[in-house]
């Protein structure tokens, strides 16, 4: 079946530190990959996506590259801010229209000033 | 544009009670879905719909019913609440040809 594994955290960093959140996946077929972010008390928001191998998704200083050979989609940011404190979810979809997402367990990030 | 709205925001039920969680979207999206979010487990799909009159089961459908009489509304019914249904419930929608799901703010349900 399809599954997503990611480091559960919590991850605590100081402001301006480098962030990596690891995500690996197992999928039948050729998935699209996503990172969603959930700020306290809110629903999930799409942060970035990649739909084919070697694609790099980027948004708000965050980046992730679709690595088919290692089945990975690690999230990185060069310099985190306090406002980046949130829960980050890696997800995949193998259907043509992005239906039936499979989410990872989420990684809680806390950034200290 | 309100996006995806959910009511109520919080609810406490006793075991055996029934209730309906409301979800509405004003973006004319064909696809709508319900997830539950539990600690350490991410989001799990309960039911989904690809259009009015069409629904299907997700990963964890037991104890829940849905219907889709209009494009805008997708209510989730708990028939006889159990403590195992204590969770945060999210509704989401997206156009069929898009990967981006839009999520509502969630309903925190506690069953005692």
């Amino acid at each position: 079946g399809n599954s997503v594994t990611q480091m559960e955290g919590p991850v605590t960093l100081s402001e301006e530190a480098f962030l990596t959140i690891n995500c690996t996946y197992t999928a039948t077929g050729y998935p699209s990959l996503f990172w969603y972010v959930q700020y306290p008390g809110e629903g999930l928001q799409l942060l970035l996506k990649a739909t084919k191998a070697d694609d790099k998704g980027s948004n708000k200083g965050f980046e992730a590259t679709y690595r088919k050979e290692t089945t990975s989609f690690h999230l990185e940011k060069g310099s985190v801010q306090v406002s980046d404190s949130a829960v980050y979810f890696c997800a995949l979809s193998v259907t043509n229209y992005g239906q039936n997402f499979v989410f990872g367990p989420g990684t809680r990030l806390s950034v200290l000033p | 544009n309100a996006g995806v709205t959910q009511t109520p925001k919080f609810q406490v039920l006793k075991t055996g009670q029934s209730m309906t969680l409301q979800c509405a979207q004003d973006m004319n999206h064909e696809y709508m879905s319900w997830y539950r979010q539990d600690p350490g487990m991410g989001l799990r799909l309960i039911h989904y719909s690809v259009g009015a009159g069409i629904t299907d089961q997700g990963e964890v459908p037991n104890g829940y019913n849905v219907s889709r009489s209009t494009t805008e509304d997708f209510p989730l019914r708990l028939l006889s609440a159990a403590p195992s249904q204590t969770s945060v419930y999210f509704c989401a929608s997206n156009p069929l040809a898009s990967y981006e799901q839009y999520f509502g703010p969630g309903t925190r349900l506690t069953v005692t």
Side-chain angles (χ1 to χ4, degrees), chain A residues 8 32 34 36 38 41-46 49 51 87 89 93 95-106, chain B residues 9 31 35 37-45 48 50 90 94-106:
Chain A
E8 290 198 31
S32 296
F34 310 84
Y36 277 79
Q38 183 180 30
E42 299 183 9
L44 279 69
Q45 304 172 25
L46 179 65
K49 67 178 187 287
T51 58
V87 181
F89 292 91
S93 174
T95 57
N96 288 338
Y97 297 113
Q99 317 307 342
N100 301 333
F101 280 61
V102 175
F103 287 86
Chain B
K9 198 157 189 174
Y31 184 84
Y35 294 90
Q37 182 181 28
D38 300 296
M41 301 188 74
L43 276 73
R44 292 182 292 168
L45 184 66
Y48 66 95
V50 298
F90 288 100
N94 61 279
L96 278 180
S98 169
Y99 294 111
E100 181 172 358
Q101 290 197 329
Y102 293 80
F103 283 82

Side-chain angles (χ1 to χ4, degrees), chain A residues 25-42:
Chain A
Y25 66 90
T26 302
T28 54
Y30 198 18
S32 296
L33 302 174
F34 310 84
W35 278 100
Y36 277 79
V37 59
Q38 183 180 30
Y39 297 104
E42 299 183 9

